[in-house]
Amino acid sequence: MPDPIPEGSGLNPREYGVGALSAAAGRENPSPENEMVMEEVVESKNLMKACRRVVGNKGAAGVDEMTVEELKPYLKTEWPKIKEQLLGDRYKPQPVRRVEIPKPGGKGLRMLGIPTVVDRLIQQAVLQVLDPIFDPGFSESSYGFRPGRSAHQAVLKAREYVAEGKRWVVDLDIEKFFDRVNHDVLMARVARKVKDKRLLRLIRRYLQAGIMAGGLVEPAREGTPQGGPLSPLLSNVLLDELDKELESRGHAFCRYADDCNIYVASRRAGERVMESVSQFLEKRLRLKLNKDKSSVDRPWKRKFLGYSMTSEKQPRLKVAPGSEARLRVKLKVIFKRGRGRSVGQVIEDMKKLLVGWSNYFKLAEVKNVFERLDEWVRRRMRCILWRQWKRTRTRAKNLIKRGLPKDRAWKSATNGRGPWWNAGASHMNHAFPKSYFDHLGLVSLLNRHLCFVGSS
């Protein structure tokens, strides 16, 4: 294998891995009947491309503690042996490392399985070969983890369905999807287009590699842990059967990974669809709906990919309340760390988060949430300043420095109120107006939003 050149990929991880699949773009149409797919996987150009992708995506080490920086020198000596094992159907993946992260909304934990960097490389190489085999046959209503498709396209299509008069939504939540995927059902669908037995056995070995937790390996009898490059494609392969079923019934729907919304004209129709889809998932794919989270409701009372919409005849997109709440939780962590730091440093810490959030919600047509968040962030910054000053004399001195009359500054400094009250009071607003924070580089969600709207 030629020396792989690590370089950045420019991917946006918040688009839930969509960019990782675009590596397959531009490949020639491979024959679905090709029985020598493993040779394509280990081909030098494919491996170099996969290596650049893995190194560019960075990411944590797996159970062997090898970092992405160590991958290139490791491959120089070990790749010939790994290649021989892959072609000879003898390669055995290592278990994934369990990492638990809070679920959106803070309710419960989501389990990620982090493969070793070598296994990430091999999975990425497999993905680059399989994606052009499977993707052309996927549904037009499938938007997740696919080249040239995005969450924004799914949200816009959902709004289009509601504007057409389908003003009820069947909001499907598949219970613990990535943990409950049946390996036999999944592999049967992969085998419809992949005839190379070596590759099929390699994929099954990845599914069954197990999870390292507390120094012990837990066997994996079902599921495809999130965290590896192959998991998104495999989820689409399995759920494509649901897509095809919905298409055959003539339903209007949008699916992004395991998040699927079906749009219908009445509650009664929605309840019928909910029941029949539930039965289909259980009988054909051995998956269950989460009854508590799935619902037939008005689209403006539900959220889809972080967005909601208004109830007007021509609905407008807006940020779902839960999405605003999650941003506040993340910002509070930064604010808490910022009590002993300069305001400029805190603003710098927030920049990436605020820019990413505003980019994702640029489709929102209701601006009040951006206004509300801007005001809340500035008040939090003033609160940090008030806490840092601590003493009455310091507070009065700094307020005078910021242009307040001496009498007013001393009256404000001795008011006996708490930091949050003072952060919202007129003396702090006067001393530290919006222009002060703008000068320090604080990202204004409202201004960015208005720029997005103005350019659309």
Side-chain angles (χ1 to χ4, degrees):
M1 171 184 173
D3 190 16
I5 305 170
E7 62 185 34
S9 62
L11 294 180
N12 176 3
R14 170 58 196 101
E15 291 294 320
Y16 292 107
V18 175
L21 297 182
S22 63
R27 287 178 50 86
E28 297 297 323
N29 295 328
S31 168
E33 300 301 320
N34 191 348
E35 296 185 6
M36 306 292 285
V37 184
M38 189 64 84
E39 277 70 18
E40 291 188 60
V41 171
V42 301
E43 189 264 331
S44 295
K45 288 183 181 179
N46 190 50
L47 259 295
M48 290 176 67
K49 195 174 190 178
C51 186
R52 288 195 293 268
R53 185 71 64 182
V54 170
V55 172
N57 284 346
K58 299 181 180 179
V63 295
D64 62 355
E65 299 186 352
M66 183 189 294
T67 65
V68 290
E69 290 78 17
E70 297 170 308
L71 178 60
K72 178 181 172 182
Y74 178 83
L75 292 176
K76 284 181 179 178
T77 59
E78 300 298 321
W79 174 247
K81 182 173 72 175
I82 296 171
K83 179 178 178 180
E84 184 183 350
Q85 290 173 345
L86 288 168
L87 291 174
D89 199 11
R90 297 189 308 275
Y91 182 80
K92 293 184 179 179
Q94 294 195 58
V96 298
R97 181 168 66 86
R98 185 201 296 274
V99 176
E100 293 179 337
I101 60 171
K103 285 186 176 180
K107 296 180 180 178
L109 295 172
R110 172 171 289 147
M111 196 278 285
L112 296 183
I114 308 300
T116 64
V117 289
V118 173
D119 282 326
R120 292 211 292 273
L121 170 76
I122 295 169
Q123 285 194 36
Q124 180 65 35
V126 171
L127 170 67
Q128 290 167 184
V129 171
L130 292 190
D131 191 56
I133 293 175
F134 284 98
D135 190 79
F138 286 155
S139 168
E140 283 297 308
S141 298
S142 168
Y143 295 90
F145 310 119
R146 298 183 61 193
R149 310 208 123 218
S150 69
H152 285 164
Q153 292 172 334
V155 169
L156 290 171
K157 192 65 179 179
R159 181 185 64 178
E160 184 182 317
Y161 287 140
V162 177
E164 290 172 356
K166 298 177 176 67
R167 295 173 69 82
W168 289 88
V169 62
V170 182
D171 189 351
L172 304 177
D173 186 282
I174 301 176
E175 188 172 63
K176 297 182 179 179
F177 172 72
F178 285 95
D179 298 334
R180 298 282 171 82
V181 169
N182 182 282
H183 292 169
D184 292 335
V185 173
L186 172 59
M187 290 308 302
R189 275 122 189 102
V190 175
R192 290 174 182 173
K193 291 193 175 183
V194 176
K195 304 305 178 185
D196 191 325
K197 303 296 184 184
R198 297 166 299 174
L199 186 54
L200 291 173
R201 281 190 284 265
L202 177 65
I203 294 172
R204 186 177 279 275
R205 286 186 200 124
Y206 273 118
L207 293 173
Q208 297 177 339
I211 299 165
M212 180 75 77
L216 299 174
V217 177
E218 299 176 2
R221 296 183 177 87
E222 60 181 3
T224 168
Q226 294 170 271
L230 261 181
S231 290
L233 175 63
L234 295 178
S235 70
N236 273 336
V237 169
L238 183 63
L239 290 177
D240 185 59
E241 190 143 342
L242 171 64
D243 298 342
K244 295 298 191 290
E245 178 68 17
L246 295 177
E247 285 177 342
S248 70
R249 299 181 187 183
H251 288 311
F253 70 99
C254 299
R255 184 178 66 78
Y256 193 101
D258 59 332
D259 198 345
C260 184
N261 279 6
I262 306 167
Y263 296 89
V264 295
S266 68
R267 175 183 284 278
R268 189 174 177 183
E271 289 170 347
R272 285 199 305 268
V273 170
M274 177 72 82
E275 181 60 30
S276 63
V277 168
S278 178
Q279 291 178 12
F280 174 83
L281 287 170
E282 289 190 33
K283 291 178 181 177
R284 293 288 293 275
L285 302 181
R286 300 189 196 176
L287 296 170
K288 288 186 178 182
L289 288 181
N290 185 321
K291 301 295 185 181
D292 295 329
K293 294 183 179 179
S294 300
S295 179
V296 178
D297 208 339
R298 295 293 196 178
W300 46 90
K301 293 182 180 179
R302 307 293 294 180
K303 63 180 176 67
F304 181 51
L305 302 177
Y307 281 85
S308 187
M309 61 183 78
T310 62
S311 60
E312 299 151 336
K313 188 173 182 181
Q314 292 297 319
R316 293 177 297 149
L317 294 172
K318 63 179 185 179
V319 178
S323 301
E324 179 186 353
R326 285 193 291 276
L327 177 63
R328 288 178 184 250
V329 169
K330 292 177 182 178
L331 288 171
K332 282 179 182 178
V333 174
I334 297 175
F335 295 140
K336 193 171 183 179
R337 291 200 308 258
R339 291 179 184 176
R341 310 175 70 198
S342 72
V343 171
Q345 288 174 317
V346 178
I347 288 173
E348 190 61 32
D349 286 350
M350 286 192 293
K351 186 173 291 184
K352 186 176 180 181
L353 175 60
L354 292 176
V355 169
W357 196 88
S358 62
N359 284 344
Y360 184 73
F361 288 104
K362 66 183 179 182
L363 298 181
E365 298 158 287
V366 179
K367 69 176 185 178
N368 60 353
V369 63
F370 302 95
E371 226 166 1
R372 186 166 60 242
L373 282 167
D374 270 0
E375 291 171 0
W376 180 77
V377 168
R378 289 195 294 269
R379 185 171 179 179
R380 281 280 177 176
M381 301 302 294
R382 296 183 186 111
C383 187
I384 289 173
L385 288 166
W386 190 264
R387 286 181 186 278
Q388 288 178 345
W389 293 341
K390 294 181 181 177
R391 301 170 188 269
T392 300
R393 183 180 296 276
T394 307
R395 287 169 177 168
K397 181 181 174 183
N398 283 318
L399 287 173
I400 292 169
K401 221 184 257 188
R402 291 296 305 168
L404 264 69
K406 188 175 181 181
D407 288 350
R408 187 183 176 196
W410 275 100
K411 185 178 179 182
S412 300
T414 57
N415 62 34
R417 301 274 192 163
W420 184 244
W421 185 91
N422 277 283
S426 60
H427 53 271
M428 285 297 281
N429 278 272
H430 180 92
F432 298 96
K434 179 180 180 297
S435 58
Y436 172 82
F437 297 108
D438 289 344
H439 180 71
L440 289 178
L442 178 63
V443 173
S444 167
L445 295 172
L446 179 61
N447 287 350
R448 283 183 60 83
H449 176 63
L450 293 177
C451 286
F452 285 134
V453 173
S455 63
S456 62

